[in-house]
Amino acid sequence: MNDGVRVAARHLGMHFSLRGADLVALDDVNLQVRDREFCCIVGPSGCGKSTFLRILAGLERQTSGELHVEVRDPANPLTAMVFQEQSIFPWMTVEENVGYGLRMRGVHASVRKRVVDHYLEKVGLAHFARAYPHQMSGGMKQRASVARAFATDPEILLMDEPFASVDEQTRALLQEELLRVWESDRKTVVYITHSIDEALVLGDRVIVMSARPGRVKAEIEVTLPRPRSVYELKSTPAFSELVARVWEPLRREVLASYGALGQAS
Amino acid sequence: MTVKVQTARARRLGRARIGGVAAERLISVGSPVLLLLVWEALGRLGLVDVRFFPPPSAIAGTFATLVASGELLDQTRISLGRVIIGFLIGAVPGVVLGLVMGMSRIVRAALNPMVGALYPIPKSAILPLLLLIFGIGEPSKYAIVASGVFFLVLLNTIAGVLSIEPVYLDVGRNFGASRLQAFWTIALPGALPLVFTGLRLAWGIALILIVVGEMFASQSGLGYFINNMYQTFQVEKMYAGLIVMSVIGYVSFLILDELQRWLVPWRGDRAV
Ligand SMILES: Nc1ncnc2c1ncn2[C@@H]1O[C@H](COP(=O)(O)OP(=O)(O)OP(=O)(O)O)[C@@H](O)[C@H]1O
Ligand SMILES: [Mg+2]
């Protein structure tokens, strides 16, 4: 494996059988994620983004092709996922949720508490440590979910549209927070989003996937300097130019996915 | 201007609701009292047969002497002991097996036919069988209660585990939970609300079954007492036994509510 490459997918394919019919979710996906890279994936709905992430997380096994994930520190968990849907345990307090990964690995309670407090502080939930999820807003739950993944200290962070379900202002705040947390840890991140803006604000590179069956359609290096500020970045000419470069291949795929829908119905 | 009007109306609505609550409470206390008064009056006026419906005042007197003599308390203690032991014998394996069946497709496939066949049998109908197996002593009472409790708790626990969003199990796997850890940190708490539904239903059944068991196959306990008083035509004492049953039912469900609030705090407002 090339030096500096953490994740390498070669000819990765995924078939599901859906009520007898064969459904190709991923078809010949080839991509690499570099060490300490913030890699964003965009693509039309249903193109297999979540499926790819689930394979990376070991929750699903590809039906063809290979996936290499380089383990650097076997003491740490390989991946931690921020799920697309609400995934904070309703029966645990926020701090129990955030400390869950550490607890499963048998990390001592006192160490756990220090790490949990640190990340609760970073995502602005310090005052809600003892609250239950039903006492929090959707955005706060997603923040807890992000803190849970970071606190676990994985080799690779997987984030599946973590902020898709929150309103735009909150999302901008959460992106800002995420940038700050990430810029201090510099973990390898694979981040899925529907939003081109979000991909460019956060990522070092944007991968555009094709309509189903998903393949890698284009890769765009995001050359914007760090540290970044969500608000200032969006008004720069460099940003607009990048938006156009991502939008161009994506537009065709989104249209293709509507076409496929049209044919199906 | 409009704002003022609205707040005034809101306040009026608020007051109306408070008044409504007080009235409701008055009605719900008043209606049973009224019923007792009517019953008393009908008895005294000779409009109902006091041999079957002794006036509440007479029942209260009998109740007091029975309590004072300790007879009623002894029978109550015996019945409560049996029902609690039988309940635990049925509920604990019901929860454990329910979690296993909920988590494992294979175990579920293997055991579902048996559960499906045994569950619908009315448990009072297997009393004779249980007497054959366990004899007339205590174990047959535990057995009949446990048999009724077990299936209700089992089925509700399975349903509870199956109702858990799959994403939570994914979180467990992704964050390195072992099977046993997933059991304790996801399956059990996730199923707990429905487990409680099962426990409440099962407790109701347990109270029925202990009385049935004691009526037909025992020389002690409240079921025996009520039946015995009926057969010797001491109707007032029979009513005293019924009152105790009613109190046991009422208080125990309050305790279950409290337990649920304590064990399922994440449901917050949604008790019961
Ligand atoms: N367990 C499964 N069984 C059958 N089909 C599945 C399964 N999981 C996913 N699919 C199918 O695979 C395709 C890709 O799904 P996936 O969730 O990866 O899409 P996605 O790109 O994440 O979409 P979105 O952006 O809407 O989240 C979809 O057509 C979906 O119906
Ligand atoms: Mg998805």
Side-chain angles (χ1 to χ4, degrees):
Chain A
M1 187 177 282
N2 273 347
D3 198 36
V5 174
R6 290 309 295 278
V7 179
R10 277 186 224 107
H11 310 299
L12 200 72
M14 186 72 180
H15 291 235
F16 289 109
S17 59
L18 199 64
R19 279 177 256 112
D22 188 45
L23 188 144
V24 187
L26 295 173
D27 177 39
D28 196 23
V29 170
N30 294 289
L31 68 81
Q32 296 188 334
V33 181
R34 298 185 292 256
D35 190 36
R36 296 179 186 280
E37 181 184 29
F38 200 121
C39 175
C40 291
I41 300 179
V42 295
S45 185
C47 75
K49 302 183 296 295
S50 296
T51 304
F52 177 67
L53 222 56
R54 290 176 62 82
I55 295 172
L56 261 182
L59 293 172
E60 215 98 53
R61 207 174 147 65
Q62 72 269 24
T63 46
S64 61
E66 292 169 41
L67 180 73
H68 284 289
V69 182
E70 194 185 302
V71 182
R72 295 254 161 114
D73 181 0
N76 281 357
L78 193 54
T79 64
M81 174 109 108
V82 179
F83 288 84
Q84 184 169 9
E85 56 269 63
Q86 203 289 106
S87 68
I88 286 291
F89 297 123
W91 49 86
M92 292 183 194
T93 61
V94 172
E95 61 183 359
E96 286 168 348
N97 264 295
V98 173
Y100 186 74
L102 297 174
R103 193 173 131 215
M104 293 303 105
R105 272 162 53 210
V107 174
H108 192 269
S110 59
V111 180
R112 208 160 70 211
K113 173 144 181 43
R114 219 176 46 235
V115 176
V116 168
D117 286 350
H118 173 74
Y119 282 103
L120 282 178
E121 186 72 43
K122 282 209 170 181
V123 299
L125 286 178
H127 294 301
F128 289 87
R130 299 272 159 78
Y132 281 101
H134 76 92
Q135 296 163 316
M136 307 198 306
S137 71
M140 289 160 79
K141 286 183 217 172
Q142 284 309 77
R143 272 188 255 178
S145 180
V146 170
R148 175 171 68 187
F150 269 95
T152 310
D153 194 23
E155 303 249 303
I156 300 164
L157 262 173
L158 307 174
M159 305 177 102
D160 194 352
E161 306 192 36
F163 307 140
S165 59
V166 299
D167 65 87
E168 203 176 326
Q169 292 89 319
T170 312
R171 190 180 314 142
L173 284 175
L174 293 175
Q175 290 166 353
E176 195 80 49
E177 277 169 3
L178 179 61
L179 273 178
R180 266 187 283 114
V181 179
W182 182 77
E183 277 161 2
S184 65
D185 295 44
R186 288 271 172 167
K187 285 189 183 307
T188 308
V189 178
V190 182
Y191 190 104
I192 288 173
T193 173
H194 267 120
S195 153
I196 298 175
D197 279 13
E198 182 168 73
L200 291 172
V201 161
L202 298 174
D204 294 318
R205 195 159 49 112
V206 178
I207 290 171
V208 180
M209 282 179 70
S210 67
R212 205 184 74 219
R215 298 163 181 249
V216 174
K217 177 79 183 177
E219 294 185 27
I220 293 103
E221 294 285 341
V222 183
T223 45
L224 303 165
R226 292 185 189 271
R228 297 176 186 169
S229 155
V230 173
Y231 303 96
E232 289 164 23
L233 204 61
K234 288 187 185 174
S235 54
T236 61
F239 189 84
S240 317
E241 192 201 320
L242 281 166
V243 171
R245 281 182 54 199
V246 177
W247 184 223
E248 172 55 26
L250 184 59
R251 195 177 62 105
R252 250 177 275 147
E253 294 308 321
V254 171
L255 286 176
S257 76
Y258 285 140
L261 281 179
Q263 279 163 17
S265 57
Chain B
M1 188 64 203
T2 40
V3 173
K4 248 182 209 155
V5 171
Q6 278 179 355
T7 50
R9 188 187 296 156
R11 212 175 294 137
R12 211 173 319 126
L13 279 172
R15 206 179 303 138
R17 200 174 311 132
I18 290 164
V21 169
E24 257 172 46
R25 203 161 287 162
L26 194 70
I27 290 170
S28 53
V29 173
S31 65
V33 171
L34 186 70
L35 179 71
L36 289 175
L37 286 177
V38 171
W39 182 354
E40 182 82 31
L42 290 175
R44 298 227 173 159
L45 294 171
L47 292 174
V48 295
D49 192 333
V50 290
R51 288 173 305 171
F52 307 141
F53 301 103
S57 57
I59 295 173
T62 310
F63 188 80
T65 35
L66 277 173
V67 170
S69 74
E71 188 181 355
L72 206 48
L73 289 181
D74 285 344
Q75 305 293 12
T76 305
R77 206 174 305 127
I78 291 168
S79 291
L80 271 182
R82 285 171 179 161
V83 78
I84 288 172
I85 291 172
F87 185 79
L88 290 177
I89 294 175
V92 173
V95 171
V96 174
L97 188 61
L99 291 177
V100 174
M101 284 179 74
M103 290 289 272
S104 164
R105 206 177 269 268
I106 293 171
V107 178
R108 205 157 60 237
L111 297 183
N112 253 345
M114 267 85 89
V115 173
L118 293 176
Y119 170 62
I121 302 174
K123 297 307 166 297
S124 44
I126 60 167
L127 181 60
L129 175 66
L130 293 175
L131 290 173
L132 280 177
I133 299 172
F134 294 104
I136 196 103
E138 295 303 288
S140 60
K141 313 300 172 299
Y142 303 151
I144 189 160
V145 172
S147 66
V149 168
F150 174 75
F151 287 102
L152 274 174
V153 173
L154 177 76
L155 291 175
N156 278 281
T157 304
I158 295 172
V161 177
L162 294 180
S163 76
I164 297 172
E165 293 286 335
V167 68
Y168 295 128
L169 297 168
D170 286 342
V171 172
R173 281 169 65 200
N174 185 231
F175 285 78
S178 68
R179 250 185 122 65
L180 196 65
Q181 284 173 321
F183 213 82
W184 287 116
T185 61
I186 301 169
L188 179 61
L192 213 48
L194 269 175
V195 169
F196 254 98
T197 305
L199 291 177
R200 297 175 61 85
L201 291 170
W203 181 253
I205 295 288
L207 291 178
I208 294 172
L209 288 175
I210 194 60
V211 170
V212 171
E214 287 174 348
M215 278 185 172
F216 292 101
S218 179
Q219 299 300 315
S220 61
L222 280 171
Y224 160 78
F225 179 84
I226 291 167
N227 194 39
N228 193 35
M229 293 307 128
Y230 153 71
Q231 293 194 335
T232 56
F233 219 71
Q234 305 182 62
V235 178
E236 286 164 14
K237 288 191 175 178
M238 186 188 82
Y239 274 99
L242 291 177
I243 291 172
V244 175
M245 284 307 305
S246 156
V247 170
I248 289 175
Y250 187 77
V251 172
S252 54
F253 278 110
L254 286 185
I255 293 173
L256 273 176
D257 282 350
E258 206 42 54
L259 203 63
Q260 180 165 12
R261 212 160 294 153
W262 184 61
L263 282 173
V264 194
W266 61 91
R267 282 268 165 136
D269 36 348
R270 266 195 289 168
V272 184

